[in-house]
Amino acid sequence: MTSLRITRTPRARIRGLGVATAAAGLLVSLLAAGPATATPDPGDSSAPGSVSAQQAAEARSAIQSGEIPGVDEIVHSKNIEHLVNIPKDALPGTNSDLAFQGKYAFAGNYDGFRIFDISNPRAPRTVAQVLCPGSQNDISVSGNLVFLSTDSSRSDNSCASTTQPATEKSSWEGMKIFDISDITNPRYVAAVETSCGSHTHTLVPKRKDVYVYVSSYSPNVAFPDCQPPHDGISVIKVPRKAPEKAAIVNFPVLFPGEGPDGGGNPGGPTNPGVSKTTGCHDITVLPGKDLAAGACMGDGILFDIADPQNPKVIDQVQDNVNFAFWHSATFNQRADKVVFTDELGGGGAATCNAVVGPNRGADGIYDIVGKGKKRKLVFRSYFKIPRHQADTENCVAHNGSLIPVKGKDLMVQAWYQGGVSVWDFTDSAKPKEIAYFERGPLSATTMSTGGAWSAYYYNGHIYSNDIAKGFDVLKISDRRTDPAKRIRMDGLNVQTQPDYFDDFDR
């Protein structure tokens, strides 16, 4: 066990949240695995970037004054306990998303995925590491199947593939499927190529089959397998008992319109600083309500999935003042709100500072008003973490999940090097942070990409996959969130939101 470190208390940057003593991460013994032989795709590694001499000086000054934590220093609110950190092992690439089933956590990495036994959250144990490069390896699990997204141009669909230009017709991108009947030895069983690859995906389970909504974007006339307009999503049907028969069954157009670009947000120069909509980045579904929300670059959408093979858009909204890139969506439990995130800067920029302000690179809270096909998304407010970060820290709103407490809308969320935030949006117009955990910058002189990619609540604990530092487990102890500890789930894919209380009552 490493020694205990006492952290300093950041001052001016924190509003109303105490800082507790930070226990150093407990390094548990890991199963040995062979060394990774693959190299992440260009741009996938946490390569240092340049900052000005003035920005570097300001970062050093802020550290010295206590306004921000020191390099790698851990700070957190008094209601958060850092239980453990598990560093990267055989997979050196960028850590990405998380999924859960039973006592296991499935952690994506640009070089493959890792499976942890989390039956003891204070000492997670690695049970498998799978080398299968293909950014960003967005991950989900259902029954005996693991689903993995490949959104980088590869030489073929194997786990031994290498990078290859998207301009070559033979290049492959899409969905990979693994059988985990033997959890210690996942078996690659199927692959489905999809238009423009698979940046993220969302599962819609339907008894004997699993439908997969594949989100991808940025077509180019020079890419044979990613031609404009790319104004919809790929729908894959996967028979549970015969996953090798998985196939695309539809490509519903979500942004119909005239011309080569479809009917989504045109972006600049019409809307300066806003992403042109050429597909979706991420989709969250509520199967129990036959409802889905899509974060689609320049647009947020609400749609009906009663027929999962043929989703129908109900409402479409834009924010051409403060949203640059609609990144992800989260429903509240009552399905009368959606939180959309804006990934300003693409996750590689310093946007949690006074210059950018509180309304950009933030969450947008929308109420769902009306019924049925007449439902509308109505903007209420923005939420952004109340702690400024250094200009050497990439920080922006990213992946999070609900914390299931009846009568409350509580969420835990990753903010890259802004750390992990727990916040309350029960009052849509007045969201507020109630807890946080973060590390100081990776560097006080250069921009290095890192921080929490995902932060999710599962069976009483918060799990975070840090891009650079590894797998973190946190425990929150607060009267506002404590009732969630009674909710025990059999599994969780955050983009396939459960009805926490109905599932629990059953």
Side-chain angles (χ1 to χ4, degrees), residues 98-391:
L98 294 169
F100 304 89
Q101 185 164 267
K103 66 178 183 179
Y104 298 107
F106 298 77
N109 178 286
Y110 278 40
D111 283 336
F113 65 97
R114 187 174 182 178
I115 304 174
F116 293 97
D117 181 332
I118 55 172
S119 51
N120 179 1
R122 292 181 178 271
R125 181 176 59 87
T126 299
V127 296
Q129 299 188 71
V130 177
L131 177 64
C132 195
S135 63
Q136 55 188 14
N137 279 341
D138 191 49
I139 192 166
S140 296
V141 58
S142 183
N144 287 328
L145 301 178
V146 162
F147 301 82
L148 209 62
S149 283
T150 299
D151 193 34
S152 59
S153 186
R154 312 298 300 182
S155 56
D156 55 50
N157 65 8
S158 75
C159 286
S161 69
T162 58
T163 59
Q164 182 168 291
T167 52
E168 295 188 22
K169 176 62 179 173
S170 63
S171 294
W172 186 90
E173 300 179 61
M175 288 298 308
K176 294 170 181 170
I177 304 172
F178 293 77
D179 185 295
I180 53 167
S181 299
D182 178 355
I183 196 73
T184 66
N185 187 28
R187 185 169 54 92
Y188 186 9
V189 294
V192 180
E193 186 171 13
T194 56
S195 175
C196 299
S198 175
H199 192 71
T200 67
H201 67 269
T202 304
L203 305 187
V204 186
K206 289 289 183 180
R207 295 178 293 279
K208 296 181 180 179
D209 302 309
V210 180
Y211 288 91
V212 185
Y213 289 168
V214 176
S215 296
S216 54
Y217 54 92
S218 294
N220 191 301
V221 293
F223 300 163
D225 298 320
C226 185
Q227 292 283 298
H230 183 71
D231 48 12
I233 58 174
S234 298
V235 180
I236 299 173
K237 183 178 181 180
V238 184
R240 290 187 184 276
K241 293 185 177 180
E244 69 279 2
K245 295 181 179 179
I248 295 172
V249 293
N250 197 11
F251 186 86
V253 174
L254 303 177
F255 302 98
E258 299 297 330
D261 300 323
N265 197 316
T270 304
N271 297 315
V274 176
S275 296
K276 176 181 176 181
T277 297
T278 59
C280 289
H281 178 276
D282 210 347
I283 291 169
T284 294
V285 299
L286 272 175
K289 302 278 195 308
D290 289 332
L291 199 61
C296 302
M297 304 182 71
D299 294 85
I301 59 174
L302 188 70
F303 52 105
D304 186 305
I305 60 168
D307 178 356
Q309 192 167 313
N310 296 283
K312 303 294 183 184
V313 175
I314 298 170
D315 195 26
Q316 175 182 350
V317 292
Q318 298 177 357
D319 179 348
N320 295 317
V321 175
N322 289 313
F323 260 49
F325 187 90
W326 296 66
H327 176 275
S328 54
T330 302
F331 288 98
N332 70 336
Q333 181 61 41
R334 295 181 300 278
D336 58 9
K337 298 178 188 177
V338 181
V339 173
F340 289 104
T341 66
D342 171 28
E343 195 185 37
L344 174 68
T351 72
C352 297
N353 51 41
V355 173
V356 174
N359 296 336
R360 301 178 65 230
D363 297 318
I365 303 166
Y366 286 74
D367 285 351
I368 302 174
V369 300
K371 296 181 179 181
K373 296 180 180 179
K374 294 183 178 181
R375 283 172 286 192
K376 297 291 184 183
L377 292 164
V378 179
F379 173 76
R380 295 303 187 201
S381 67
Y382 298 106
F383 170 76
K384 194 170 184 179
I385 55 173
R387 297 173 310 285
H388 289 161
Q389 307 295 307
D391 287 336

Side-chain angles (χ1 to χ4, degrees), residues 373-419:
K373 296 180 180 179
K374 294 183 178 181
R375 283 172 286 192
K376 297 291 184 183
L377 292 164
V378 179
F379 173 76
R380 295 303 187 201
S381 67
Y382 298 106
F383 170 76
K384 194 170 184 179
I385 55 173
R387 297 173 310 285
H388 289 161
Q389 307 295 307
D391 287 336
T392 60
E393 294 180 279
N394 61 305
C395 175
V396 75
H398 213 237
N399 293 352
S401 77
L402 292 184
I403 298 179
V405 175
K406 281 190 175 182
K408 296 290 184 181
D409 296 326
L410 305 175
M411 185 172 173
V412 59
Q413 185 175 3
W415 289 79
Y416 289 116
Q417 287 194 69

